[in-house]
Each structure stands twice: as structure tokens, then as C-alpha cells.
């Protein structure tokens, strides 16, 4: 009897071992981290779902294909893979850029480790840390915007009202002053107007309840494009790549016009600075699953599937200010106040959304992620 029980236990153990590879593959496929297996010649042997997303290709397309057909042969990743094989130990590298025919990702963290029972084989994980950095920048910008909100209330009450009295007094002095004193009175009046204008610009950061409803984002983009083409963007070529199947966003139409008009204006100015004859701004929309912002100030964990992108081929954003771009009083323009993009970040945050930027010389793209309108019998398309 004991011999039968032992044989039964051995058969159960063997069955579990046979099921283990299937279970392991299932677990790896479900991981949100991109995982691939490469053989000794860097051919794909396994690709999970996150890796398919990263490379913009299916596992069937990638299986058996050499990595050098996906990435340039001189890419630093190949040096890292060779080192992992040579040392027989795991290796890690951060902030890599990978680009191919179907994908372009920056800020990739890579880890590669040899597989013990398969000579030359490596398991490689790739993590896109750009989303985490964008969220960190967004939260930093929101904190800065909150501090501006408090300052706006103080300025409106403590500064704006006395400024009106000072301006009125300067006008009275101007009417009865000599020619020399009149010049000083005009100087006082102009400076008061300048300070008042700055206070009013900061005042828009104040907390005001926003009316959110169903908004057709394509109509907003069309309105912004027409404004741009008849003004600051008259010499720029606009290209549109819209997804006509997009549902309406949950938002405030006027505030979204302000957001996109500000971003498009920045793009047009960036193109104009280069004085290139082929200056271009691409406006695009799309639907992206799985984007969720847990730290939203508007609602708890909204899904943000609707993406609006504004891309230009200008000179790019200087690296030293890119991380702080959405913070108040940060600007790459000599005459800029640094409040435009800070206000953009605040409005997007008030919508429960997310904005990020990817920039390098010749290509800058702002991406706005917004929640979808869910019809509960209220709101209408605008």
C-alpha cells in the first residue's frame, strides 16, 4: 500500500512539474512589466503582452526574429546583453531610448539576466519609466498651482483693490502736474496697470467650481486650429490625425479651448523661432486603454482613455527646464511670465486629467489625457 501511495505522489508531482511552465508563462503574460526571452543569437523566444505593447508588434511577429531587426545594430542594449552573457550575472541600465519602425520610447529601464539551464539565453525586462516621471512632474505642478491658488486670493484682496486707488490718484496728479511731473504720473499709472495685469493673470488660478459636461474634443480642436491659422500660426502648416470614433470627453469646453490654444501657441512660437520653411504642427486624437491617475484632485481614480496630442518640429525644450515646465514662473522665453503652462496644468488637473511632454530637437509633443463622458442622462455634446 505504501508503494502505491508513493507512486501516486510521484505522478502528482510530475503532473505539477508539467503544468509549471504553463503557469509560469501565464503569470509572465499577465505582468504589466515587459518581459522577453532571447536565445544566444538574440532571437525572440518569448514575449509577454506588455512587451508586445512596448515594441508595437505581436508575439507571432516577433517570435524567432533577431533583435537587431527591431533595433539598430549599434544600439547600447547589445553591449549590455553581451556583458550579461560574458559575466554570467544580471545587469541593469536606466534611461535608455529605444526606437524602431513601430515604436519610440525614452526613459526605458532594462534588466537582463542569464538563464541557468540554457546557454546564452537571457531573460530581459524593460520598464517605461516615462509615465512615472510624467506623473511626478504633474503632481509637482499641482502642488505649485495650489500655492499659486492661495496667493491669488491674497493678491486679489490685498493688492488689486489698493491699486485702483493708486491709479486714480496718479490720474489726478497727471491732470494738474507740470510737464516734468506729468511724466512721473504717467510712469506710476503704467506701472500700476502692469502690476494689475500680472495680478489678474495670477487670479485665474483661484479655486472656482468648474461645470463639466460632454464635450466633442474635435470641435474644440477645430476651433483652436481656426484661431491659430488666422493669427499666430498663419505661417505654420497644420496636420490633423483624428480618431472619428472617439466618445465625448468629460470637460468644460471653454477651459479646454484655453488649454489647447495655449499649447498650440507655444508650438507655433517654437516653430517660428527656427525659421524653417517646413514648420508643422500635428494635432491628433486617440483612445488609449489603461491610463489611470490615482492621485486626481477631481475624482477618485478616473480612467483617462482619451488622448489629445500636439506635436511640432521646432527646436525643442531646453533640458534644464523640461522637468519644471508646468511649474509657475518657469519659461524658456525671454519675455515669458511662466504662467501659461502652469495654468494649463491646473486646468487639466481640475478635469481629473494628466498632461506630459516629450521633447528633443526637431520634435516636441504635448499629450493631454482626459476622462471619457459617461452618459447618465445629463449633459449634451457641444
Amino acid at each position: 500500500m505504501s508503494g502505491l501511495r508513493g507512486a501516486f505522489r510521484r505522478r502528482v508531482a510530475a503532473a505539477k512539474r508539467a503544468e509549471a511552465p504553463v503557469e509560469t508563462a501565464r503569470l509572465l503574460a499577465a505582468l504589466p512589466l515587459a518581459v522577453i526571452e532571447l536565445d544566444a543569437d538574440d532571437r525572440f523566444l518569448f514575449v509577454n503582452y506588455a512587451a508586445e505593447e512596448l515594441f508595437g508588434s505581436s508575439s507571432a511577429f516577433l517570435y524567432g526574429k533577431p533583435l537587431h531587426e527591431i533595433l539598430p545594430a549599434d544600439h547600447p542594449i547589445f553591449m549590455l546583453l553581451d556583458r550579461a552573457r560574458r559575466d554570467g550575472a544580471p545587469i541593469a541600465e536606466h534611461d535608455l531610448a529605444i526606437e524602431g519602425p513601430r515604436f519610440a520610447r525614452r526613459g526605458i529601464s532594462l534588466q537582463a539576466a542569464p538563464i541557468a539551464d540554457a546557454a546564452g539565453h537571457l531573460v530581459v525586462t524593460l520598464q517605461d519609466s516615462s509615465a512615472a516621471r510624467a506623473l511626478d512632474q504633474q503632481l509637482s505642478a499641482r502642488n505649485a498651482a495650489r500655492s499659486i491658488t492661495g496667493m491669488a486670493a491674497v493678491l486679489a484682496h490685498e493688492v488689486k483693490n489698493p491699486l485702483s486707488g493708486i491709479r486714480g490718484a496718479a490720474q489726478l496728479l497727471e491732470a494738474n502736474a507740470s510737464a516734468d511731473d506729468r511724466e512721473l504720473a504717467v510712469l506710476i499709472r503704467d506701472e500700476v496697470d502692469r502690476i494689475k495685469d500680472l495680478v489678474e493673470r495670477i487670479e485665474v488660478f483661484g479655486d472656482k467650481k468648474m461645470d463639466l459636461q460632454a464635450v466633442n474634443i474635435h470641435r474644440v480642436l477645430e476651433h483652436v486650429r481656426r484661431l491659430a491659422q488666422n493669427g499666430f500660426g498663419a505661417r505654420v502648416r497644420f496636420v490633423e490625425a483624428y480618431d472619428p470614433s472617439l466618445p465625448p470627453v468629460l470637460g468644460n469646453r471653454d477651459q479646454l479651448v484655453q488649454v489647447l490654444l495655449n499649447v498650440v501657441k507655444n508650438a507655433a512660437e517654437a516653430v517660428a523661432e527656427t525659421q524653417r520653411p517646413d514648420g508643422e504642427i500635428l494635432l491628433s486624437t486617440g483612445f488609449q486603454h489603461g491610463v489611470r491617475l490615482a492621485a486626481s484632485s477631481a475624482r477618485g481614480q478616473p480612467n483617462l482613455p482619451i488622448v489629445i496630442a500636439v506635436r511640432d518640429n521646432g527646436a525643442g525644450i531646453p533640458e534644464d527646464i523640461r522637468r519644471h515646465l508646468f511649474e509657475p514662473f518657469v519659461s524658456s522665453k525671454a519675455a515669458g511670465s511662466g504662467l501659461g503652462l502652469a495654468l494649463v496644468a491646473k486646468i487639466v488637473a481640475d478635469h481629473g486629467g494628466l498632461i506630459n511632454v516629450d521633447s528633443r530637437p526637431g520634435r516636441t509633443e504635448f499629450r493631454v489625457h482626459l476622462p471619457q463622458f459617461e452618459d447618465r442622462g445629463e449633459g449634451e455634446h457641444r
Side-chain angles (χ1 to χ4, degrees), residues 3 38 79 94 134 208-209 236 292 313 317 320 351 381:
L38 300 173
M79 294 178 60
H94 304 281
K208 295 180 181 178
K209 183 174 177 57
V236 179
R292 187 177 293 274
N313 58 354
I317 301 168
D320 57 336
H351 280 76
H381 294 236

Side-chain angles (χ1 to χ4, degrees), residues 187-260:
L187 178 63
I188 294 172
R189 187 192 65 196
D190 291 345
E191 283 301 291
V192 166
D193 288 343
R194 184 181 63 81
I195 296 170
K196 183 182 177 183
D197 180 65
L198 179 60
V199 171
E200 288 177 346
R201 292 193 68 186
I202 296 176
E203 196 175 3
V204 299
F205 285 89
D207 277 327
K208 295 180 181 178
K209 183 174 177 57
M210 187 180 295
D211 179 27
L212 301 179
Q213 54 187 287
V215 177
N216 185 324
I217 199 62
H218 294 138
R219 291 183 183 176
V220 171
L221 283 165
E222 281 297 299
H223 179 70
V224 168
R225 181 187 59 79
R226 285 197 300 269
L227 289 174
Q229 285 185 321
N230 288 285
F232 55 80
R235 298 184 178 181
V236 179
R237 176 173 175 260
F238 283 83
V239 179
E240 296 164 309
Y242 299 152
D243 180 351
S245 66
L246 277 188
V249 304
L250 178 64
N252 180 286
R253 187 257 183 194
D254 293 340
Q255 297 283 356
L256 290 175
V257 167
Q258 185 172 0
V259 165
L260 293 169

Side-chain angles (χ1 to χ4, degrees), residues 46-284:
F46 173 82
V47 180
N48 71 346
Y49 178 73
E52 289 180 315
E53 291 273 310
L54 184 72
F55 290 109
S57 302
S58 68
S59 57
F61 174 82
L62 293 171
Y63 185 80
K65 190 177 294 294
L67 184 60
H68 63 75
E69 290 188 14
I70 306 297
L71 295 174
D74 59 349
H75 197 283
I77 280 182
F78 293 103
M79 294 178 60
L80 296 169
L81 300 179
D82 290 342
R83 183 177 168 188
R85 291 190 180 96
R86 185 178 65 250
D87 296 346
I91 191 169
E93 187 59 63
H94 304 281
D95 203 24
L96 293 170
I98 58 173
E99 294 188 22
R102 304 185 182 190
F103 61 93
R105 300 295 180 93
R106 300 166 68 86
I108 297 293
S109 296
L110 175 144
Q111 290 184 314
I115 299 176
D117 56 352
H121 288 221
L122 297 172
V123 59
V124 180
T125 62
L126 301 125
Q127 183 172 13
D128 185 355
S129 57
S130 59
R133 284 202 305 272
L135 179 58
D136 180 61
Q137 293 174 17
Q138 188 78 1
L139 294 176
S140 174
R142 286 181 183 180
N143 291 334
R146 289 192 187 102
S147 66
I148 289 284
T149 299
M151 186 171 67
V154 173
L155 286 172
H157 185 267
E158 300 295 337
V159 177
K160 194 174 178 182
N161 293 338
L163 283 176
S164 298
I166 296 172
R167 192 183 193 282
Q171 285 179 309
L172 290 174
L173 290 172
E174 181 184 352
N176 302 304
S178 63
D180 292 339
D181 292 340
R182 189 178 297 117
E183 184 178 346
L184 293 175
V186 170
L187 178 63
I188 294 172
R189 187 192 65 196
D190 291 345
E191 283 301 291
V192 166
D193 288 343
R194 184 181 63 81
I195 296 170
K196 183 182 177 183
D197 180 65
L198 179 60
V199 171
E200 288 177 346
R201 292 193 68 186
I202 296 176
E203 196 175 3
V204 299
F205 285 89
D207 277 327
K208 295 180 181 178
K209 183 174 177 57
M210 187 180 295
D211 179 27
L212 301 179
Q213 54 187 287
V215 177
N216 185 324
I217 199 62
H218 294 138
R219 291 183 183 176
V220 171
L221 283 165
E222 281 297 299
H223 179 70
V224 168
R225 181 187 59 79
R226 285 197 300 269
L227 289 174
Q229 285 185 321
N230 288 285
F232 55 80
R235 298 184 178 181
V236 179
R237 176 173 175 260
F238 283 83
V239 179
E240 296 164 309
Y242 299 152
D243 180 351
S245 66
L246 277 188
V249 304
L250 178 64
N252 180 286
R253 187 257 183 194
D254 293 340
Q255 297 283 356
L256 290 175
V257 167
Q258 185 172 0
V259 165
L260 293 169
L261 192 62
N262 198 311
V263 174
V264 170
K265 185 174 185 292
N266 282 350
E269 290 174 350
V271 170
E273 286 178 2
T274 63
Q275 298 183 343
R276 54 189 302 170
D278 61 340
E280 179 180 285
I281 294 176
L282 171 67
L283 305 175
S284 64

